[in-house]
Amino acid sequence: LAEAVAAAKHLRFAGAHCYHGLIQHVPTDEARRAAVDAVVAEVRATRAALEAVGLPPPVVTGGGTGTMCLDVASGVYDEVQPGSFCLMDGQYLALDRAADEPTFERSLHVLSTVLSRPVAERAVCDAGSKAVDLSGGLPVVEGGRAYRPGGDEHGVVDLAEGDKLAVGDKVRVSPAHCDPTTNMHDFWVLHRRGIVEAVVPVDARGPGL
């Protein structure tokens, strides 16, 4: 493929993209290291094969939020490109990580309104499966409250005794998987200390073309 690209009149061979998305959420540090080692061996072999035919890749890129420190340490990449670290989600926060790896906080939440509180131990909010991804696991609700699916339009929030959550209250729902949650919304609302600073369109949302 690289030879065909290099031979094409209007194309330029710019390098190799070696992203390994399927290992980003491997839960334990030990298993994730083993998975990265296997990928690194393939990347080294690919670079060597390209160099052998006179096409040394200008850039070898890859890596991700779940493996970025291991990717850097491998030495096979010219750049690594984690993305979800700037949002974080429940899946990444649940990973077993080495003590010396950097940690990141959540910055992505879906703002939801409490619609009803039919009984003392349960409330219903307006963030259902059309507002927050459920395929990657259940989100959590502000204050450490548990979330249960309530259909397309609603989420069920389990409440502890004495919880004062009331109809009309706003709560932040934090997704287990940031990518498909982002894909459901038209805009990012960027705020700092409760003050909105910008509203940015999510240009790439939707199923793609």
Side-chain angles (χ1 to χ4, degrees):
L1 177 60
E3 289 176 320
V5 170
K9 181 178 180 180
H10 299 295
L11 298 176
R12 174 174 59 90
F13 175 59
H17 192 290
C18 303
Y19 174 63
H20 39 84
L22 293 179
I23 70 172
Q24 294 304 310
H25 294 106
V26 173
T28 68
D29 180 63
E30 181 180 3
R32 203 161 53 254
R33 287 176 183 271
V36 168
D37 288 344
V39 171
V40 165
E42 295 292 336
V43 176
R44 286 200 177 100
T46 299
R47 185 191 285 269
L50 290 167
E51 291 172 346
V53 295
L55 290 171
V59 176
V60 174
T61 184
T65 296
T67 61
M68 61 183 178
C69 291
L70 302 174
D71 298 321
V72 171
S74 73
V76 301
Y77 299 102
D78 300 301
E79 67 174 17
V80 295
Q81 44 178 303
S84 296
F85 76 95
C86 65
L87 301 176
M88 291 307 287
D89 57 31
Q91 289 185 335
Y92 278 122
L93 289 169
L95 295 184
D96 170 38
R97 291 185 177 274
D100 59 347
E101 289 193 31
T103 56
F104 303 96
E105 298 178 359
R106 290 184 188 269
S107 64
L108 178 68
H109 311 276
V110 175
L111 189 63
S112 180
T113 302
V114 176
L115 299 178
S116 68
R117 185 165 177 175
V119 293
E121 66 272 15
R122 185 173 74 249
V124 177
C125 69
D126 64 355
S129 61
K130 289 182 179 180
V132 61
D133 173 66
L134 302 179
S135 64
L138 294 180
V140 294
V141 180
E142 185 175 354
R145 302 176 177 100
Y147 175 103
R148 289 186 285 123
D152 292 348
E153 311 293 348
H154 304 109
V156 178
V157 184
D158 292 323
L159 305 176
E161 185 177 353
D163 196 311
K164 302 299 184 183
L165 195 66
V167 172
D169 285 350
K170 304 290 186 181
V171 290
R172 294 183 299 175
V173 179
S174 304
H177 196 182
C178 61
D179 307 48
T181 296
T182 299
N183 195 49
M184 297 179 186
H185 297 272
D186 292 321
F187 299 96
W188 306 90
V189 179
L190 311 182
H191 61 94
R192 191 189 308 271
R193 290 186 284 273
I195 304 299
V196 174
E197 296 193 353
V199 177
V200 179
V202 181
D203 292 332
R205 70 156 300 188
L209 300 177

